[in-house]
Amino acid sequence: MPARVLVAYASKKGSTAGIARAIAKELQAMGHVAIVIEMKDVSSLEGYDALVIGAPVYTGSVMSDLSTFVSRHKDALARLPVAAFTAGIAPVYPKTGEVKTFTDQLGAALEPKTLVAVTMFSGALDVKLLSFIERGLTSLLKVPTGDFRDWDAIAAWTRELPQKMGFAASPKN
Ligand SMILES: Cc1cc2nc3c(=O)[nH]c(=O)nc-3n(C[C@H](O)[C@H](O)[C@H](O)COP(=O)(O)O)c2cc1C
């Protein structure tokens, strides 16, 4: 039986949404059903076997949509295997923070849940999508711009999830 996995994400500029879609695609390639929904639009976790949840970092904190989601779905979360990721510039530009700080924030936001996997992916900073203030801030901090998403790393992380979540790859037929 294929598992039904919800990939819930928060995203301001779209790059984390792209990571969520890549995760879902990889799970689908393994024969599972993966549904991608922006976390603020998730009304229920009913009918899912597992959850992958992801939100980007803005000015030192994982987007607060994550904690809103966790408090809204606390009871359902307790019974599901959960993997979490964040996205940001820190993996390619450590002046924007320490990766461990952000993965720890994910763990803390989901407590007392033990995550089956937690990671930080490199995100993207598209100058065209930045506000005047954001542009000033990023150029002041000399933050590199561009798309740093590592699709191979995202796929490799995803491929390990089914086993960690307690369901093996489902053969496609
Ligand atoms: C105003 C602003 C602040 C940011 N602050 C951080 C930060 O503190 N640490 C970090 O690693 N990345 C930071 N980033 C980079 C974002 O996390 C990165 O661009 C991410 O991919 C955005 O995700 P989104 O496109 O889904 O909104 C910041 C980006 C902007 C525009």
Side-chain angles (χ1 to χ4, degrees):
M1 270 277 281
R4 278 177 63 83
V5 184
L6 173 65
V7 184
Y9 69 91
S11 184
K12 278 191 195 177
K13 318 266 184 196
S15 65
T16 312
I19 295 172
R21 285 192 296 269
I23 290 170
K25 216 172 129 193
E26 196 62 37
L27 290 168
Q28 285 157 3
M30 294 175 85
H32 299 294
V33 177
I35 289 140
V36 184
I37 310 182
E38 194 164 359
M39 61 177 84
K40 64 180 171 55
D41 295 331
V42 175
S43 53
S44 165
L45 299 182
E46 207 58 50
Y48 295 107
D49 302 309
L51 171 71
V52 182
I53 191 161
V57 173
Y58 276 89
T59 51
S61 301
V62 174
M63 256 176 89
S64 60
D65 294 43
L66 180 70
S67 38
T68 307
F69 179 92
V70 172
S71 53
R72 188 180 297 161
H73 300 286
K74 218 175 193 58
D75 294 342
L77 276 170
R79 66 170 179 83
L80 289 182
V82 179
F85 69 94
T86 184
I89 292 302
V92 289
Y93 191 65
K95 278 189 184 160
T96 50
E98 215 183 312
V99 167
K100 189 176 179 305
T101 307
F102 303 132
T103 52
D104 284 353
Q105 282 183 19
L106 290 175
L110 281 136
E111 258 171 15
K113 188 95 210 158
T114 303
L115 298 169
V116 303
V118 58
T119 198
M120 180 168 198
F121 295 121
S122 308
L125 253 184
D126 183 344
V127 181
K128 293 193 299 296
L129 300 179
L130 300 182
S131 69
F132 180 74
I133 290 172
E134 288 171 342
R135 216 172 288 184
L137 196 70
T138 48
S139 84
L140 192 72
L141 297 171
K142 297 189 169 57
V143 180
T145 54
D147 190 344
F148 304 101
R149 289 173 295 178
D150 179 341
W151 303 111
D152 290 342
I154 293 163
W157 183 77
T158 306
R159 276 197 295 273
E160 293 187 354
L161 295 183
Q163 201 182 1
K164 289 179 175 171
M165 289 173 157
F167 44 87
S170 172
K172 280 218 266 187
N173 45 43

